Amino acid sequence: MDKLTIEKAHKGLIKKEFSAIELAEFYLNKIKKENEKYNDFISITEDLALKQAKSVDDKLSRGEKIGDLEGIPMAIKDNILIDDCITTAGSKILENYGAVYDAAVIKKLRGLGVVFLGKTNLDEFAMGSSTENSAFGVVKNPVDVERVPGGSSGGSAAAVAADHCLGALGSDTGGSIRQPAAFCGVIGFKPSYGAVSRYGLIAMASSLDQIGPIAKNVLDAKLIFNSIKGKDKMDSTTLDINDKEKDYGVLKIGVPKEYFQEGISSEVKNIIEKEIKKFEKMGHEVKEVSLPSTEYALAVYYIIMPAEASANLARFDGIKYGKKGNSGENLIDFYSNVRAAGFGDEVRRRIMLGTYTLSAGYKEAYYKKAQAVRGLIKKELENVFKSVDILLTPTTPSTAFKIGEKEDPLSMYLSDIYTVTVNLAGLPAISVPCGRVDKLPVGLQIIGPQFKDNLVLSIAQSYEQLRNL
Amino acid sequence: MINEKQVKHIAKLARIKLTEKEEEKFAKEISSILDYIDKLNEVDTKNISPISQVTGLKNMVRDDSSPKKEKNEKILNQAPDKKDNYFKVPKILD
């Protein structure tokens, strides 16, 4: 059962080459054996997985048809709620929190018969780019265990890369699906903002967060995305995307020059430039474009994201859930003690940064300014998409870095420099493996216009086919 | 730039207790992030309207009805401290 994909596993189940329980047990055993090495899972939901697998086997033994994802073992990032399962968000403050409902995406996948293997490790509250910030230990990159898997969905990307599951869910606020996918050599897709419900996703920055799939190939990512998307009455920012998949024919492809300037490793640059030429060979028209506001995207992101996070994380007060706090002298002391004990450094840093930029006297200079530049960035992208159908860029400026290498917060933030713009503008984007430097994977990012998720997936799939030839 | 006194103040607003050593550390780190962010001042945004969202959806409303009560017990069971049907909080008045 090694190295299956969702499509192959589905065929295996139908042909009765293995049962759903055998499939689930294969992955559960592998996780139990190797989790010590990679630390990609925070919890394993074995009882739930076997129960779900059994009902698929029952259905198969009755001769009933099963759907594409039925009996397929998946891993879920531990900031997405599964009813009655511990959901930590990678934080000490939630180490004993049992979710009281299913996230919208979980409800959908559960209904389709997906088998949930467990919850994957992440940077605390999804804040980080290396999965070194988890209260439950550092995740190791399966390609090279001395290196980070990227983050914040590092556990999900590592789980897919290590063949601990057939697919995973991650969340992406500034690159947290695409960057770890690039570092681990797997597919990571961030849908358009609003395509997938965030109900039951522990919020970091609500105007940027989006759930999406991490998978072994584009087809699998597509299957997962099509199963979780759609308008949801529990998330008022969702809508149905009516972009029908079709033969897209010859495309105009833009390559923004700002993504190839200072900061990119020359090896990564060479690979990306070489791969972009392949799109020309596929018959598409490739041209250079310019997005001058790109250089401001990360600064905008580091105002808007902490501001929203500081508001979202105000709910962790030690009263409704979480650990029992030390009683302080008064209520403010109580809150301050609980939060000091429960939050790690990066979370505290971002909450304070957000509190500062939203505080009286600074809001105009920081928050309003960032919202204006965000408007500018979105407009610039809308304009560029009048002349091209998609954009191609590197996903990250370098390959996976060493554990402990980036100690200074700002240098860590810079690893998201090519991914944040997409979140600020709400666009769909995918990272596809496109080569290696030494043995470390490099990701090619394909960015589409807002709500053209199918276009992005379709071009990614044809590129992947070309690479597999 | 932000100094330790300001960090102490925002930590209080954010309800996070810090030690003096932490105040010093965060003052340094937050200052370097703020220095980086300051590059936004180069951008002319005179004729640009600020945006807070990207979908363009407006006035999305739902029925004003109360959700089912069946989850109440489950929710209360997550509380570190409770009494009967209530969350227990530290006293706020003497």
Side-chain angles (χ1 to χ4, degrees):
Chain A
M1 274 179 258
D2 271 324
K3 305 213 164 109
L4 286 171
T5 60
I6 293 179
E7 192 193 15
K8 283 183 198 157
H10 176 65
K11 282 184 185 145
L13 286 170
I14 292 176
K15 288 189 193 149
K16 301 215 158 63
E17 286 163 14
F18 41 78
S19 69
I21 285 192
E22 281 165 348
L23 189 64
E25 277 174 342
F26 170 77
Y27 289 107
L28 289 166
N29 290 335
K30 217 166 161 188
I31 296 164
K32 281 190 238 168
K33 213 174 101 196
E34 292 178 345
N35 200 37
E36 210 174 306
K37 195 159 136 205
Y38 304 129
N39 200 27
D40 47 337
F41 281 79
I42 291 178
S43 55
I44 302 169
T45 52
E46 182 164 11
D47 293 346
L48 173 64
L50 293 175
K51 206 176 110 198
Q52 288 173 312
K54 177 156 191 316
S55 74
V56 177
D57 282 339
D58 289 348
K59 221 170 147 181
L60 283 165
S61 67
R62 290 194 301 266
E64 287 175 41
K65 268 198 173 163
I66 59 164
D68 290 334
L69 292 182
E70 214 154 352
I72 298 299
M74 280 183 64
I76 308 296
K77 188 177 182 181
D78 203 21
N79 59 352
I80 298 171
L81 307 186
I82 302 181
D83 198 8
D84 289 326
C85 294
I86 298 287
T87 302
T88 67
S91 181
K92 232 168 30 181
I93 210 164
L94 286 178
E95 69 183 353
N96 60 359
Y97 173 66
V100 299
Y101 64 96
D102 273 343
V105 291
I106 295 299
K107 200 171 163 191
K108 285 191 170 181
L109 294 180
R110 195 192 286 273
L112 292 169
V114 167
V115 170
F116 301 129
L117 296 168
K119 309 296 293 289
T120 55
N121 209 341
L122 68 159
D123 285 301
E124 185 177 2
F125 286 105
M127 297 185 187
S129 311
S130 65
T131 320
E132 291 169 294
N133 291 337
S134 167
F136 303 92
V138 176
V139 178
K140 317 247 168 50
N141 191 326
V143 181
D144 175 352
V145 291
E146 283 180 12
R147 290 175 188 272
V148 303
S152 65
S153 311
S156 287
V160 173
D163 197 24
H164 286 174
C165 59
L166 282 168
L169 291 185
S171 65
D172 189 316
T173 306
S176 282
I177 287 175
R178 290 159 286 153
Q179 186 253 23
F183 279 8
C184 293
V186 295
I187 303 287
F189 176 56
K190 186 206 89 77
S192 292
Y193 183 87
V196 178
S197 171
R198 292 174 293 109
Y199 178 64
L201 168 69
I202 296 177
M204 194 230 292
S206 305
S207 81
L208 304 164
D209 296 343
Q210 189 66 191
I211 295 172
I214 295 177
K216 293 179 182 178
N217 62 32
V218 180
L219 179 67
D220 287 358
K222 214 154 125 180
L223 281 171
I224 299 168
F225 170 62
N226 285 331
S227 309
I228 58 174
K229 70 178 184 186
K231 190 174 162 63
D232 174 25
K233 68 175 192 316
M234 302 307 282
D235 176 356
S236 61
T237 63
T238 52
L239 58 161
D240 285 318
I241 293 180
N242 296 314
D243 130 60
K244 288 258 164 2
E245 213 183 329
K246 57 176 184 205
D247 181 8
Y248 294 99
V250 174
L251 296 171
K252 289 198 193 82
I253 295 175
V255 179
K257 63 175 187 202
E258 288 79 6
Y259 284 70
F260 295 85
Q261 289 162 357
E262 56 186 305
I264 187 168
S265 100
S266 59
E267 293 98 334
V268 169
K269 188 176 169 197
N270 289 341
I271 288 181
I272 298 287
E273 282 172 346
K274 207 177 95 210
E275 293 308 299
I276 287 174
K277 290 217 171 73
K278 291 193 180 153
F279 285 80
E280 267 176 345
K281 285 192 197 124
M282 285 158 79
H284 302 302
E285 187 190 313
V286 178
K287 66 170 187 176
E288 188 181 270
V289 294
S290 176
L291 294 165
S293 299
T294 301
E295 70 164 299
Y296 302 108
L298 199 68
V300 171
Y301 180 74
Y302 272 94
I303 294 175
I304 288 175
M305 175 273 295
E308 293 185 14
S310 73
N312 273 325
L313 271 66
R315 76 192 65 178
F316 300 103
D317 57 4
I319 288 179
K320 300 180 290 296
Y321 29 68
K323 285 170 76 149
K324 194 174 164 86
N326 305 324
S327 55
E329 277 183 36
N330 55 46
L331 192 61
I332 289 188
D333 271 355
F334 174 88
Y335 292 148
S336 306
N337 288 335
V338 166
R339 287 160 67 83
F343 290 145
D345 274 2
E346 182 60 23
V347 174
R348 296 199 265 175
R349 198 153 39 231
R350 292 195 195 186
I351 291 175
M352 287 193 284
L353 185 60
T355 304
Y356 178 71
T357 56
L358 285 177
S359 63
Y362 298 99
K363 196 176 162 184
E364 292 290 322
Y366 288 113
Y367 191 62
K368 288 279 176 207
K369 182 75 184 183
Q371 286 187 312
V373 183
R374 185 179 183 181
L376 189 71
I377 290 170
K378 185 164 189 277
K379 192 115 234 133
E380 204 171 272
L381 278 154
E382 279 164 11
N383 284 335
V384 91
F385 280 122
K386 283 177 190 158
S387 65
V388 298
D389 300 300
I390 57 158
L391 295 172
L392 293 181
T393 78
T395 308
T396 56
S398 73
T399 52
F401 44 89
K402 286 228 164 93
I403 291 168
E405 185 182 320
K406 295 191 195 255
E407 280 185 350
D408 159 52
L410 197 58
S411 75
M412 181 70 84
Y413 297 171
L414 287 167
S415 56
D416 289 333
I417 194 137
Y418 298 147
T419 47
V420 292
T421 307
V422 160
N423 299 73
L424 292 171
L427 308 180
I430 194 167
S431 178
V432 187
C434 70
R436 284 176 190 254
V437 175
D438 298 325
K439 53 177 183 160
L440 300 172
V442 176
L444 174 73
Q445 180 172 235
I446 304 173
I447 305 171
Q450 192 174 25
F451 306 134
K452 298 284 183 197
D453 297 57
N454 284 335
L455 168 66
V456 169
L457 288 163
S458 163
I459 185 106
Q461 205 172 3
S462 48
Y463 169 69
E464 181 186 60
Q465 276 160 7
L466 186 84
R467 272 190 64 81
N468 289 341
L469 285 181
Chain B
M1 275 295 283
I2 181 168
N3 60 32
E4 282 134 58
K5 209 177 131 205
Q6 286 169 296
V7 168
K8 202 186 178 98
H9 177 63
I10 56 172
K12 193 181 167 201
L13 292 177
R15 306 286 187 258
I16 297 171
K17 185 165 274 175
L18 297 181
T19 63
E20 266 180 38
K21 223 174 136 190
E22 285 171 330
E23 281 163 13
E24 205 179 301
K25 176 176 113 86
F26 283 122
K28 223 160 75 197
E29 289 169 350
I30 294 175
S31 289
S32 83
I33 301 165
L34 289 171
D35 283 348
Y36 179 78
I37 285 171
D38 274 341
K39 73 194 280 181
L40 291 186
N41 294 329
E42 298 164 13
V43 190
D44 178 8
T45 48
K46 244 187 306 185
N47 299 315
I48 304 288
S49 14
I51 59 167
S52 56
Q53 58 121 310
V54 291
T55 55
L57 294 172
K58 269 186 210 150
N59 300 333
M60 306 303 288
V61 294
R62 58 166 175 82
D63 290 340
D64 186 17
S65 59
S66 63
K68 290 175 208 147
K69 290 208 173 74
E70 64 204 27
K71 296 258 181 208
N72 284 9
E73 202 189 319
K74 228 169 147 176
I75 291 168
L76 268 168
N77 280 339
Q78 291 300 322
D81 217 352
K82 59 171 179 163
K83 197 178 179 194
D84 304 326
N85 252 337
Y86 300 96
F87 293 109
K88 209 170 157 187
V89 299
K91 71 173 178 182
I92 50 168
L93 290 171
D94 281 320

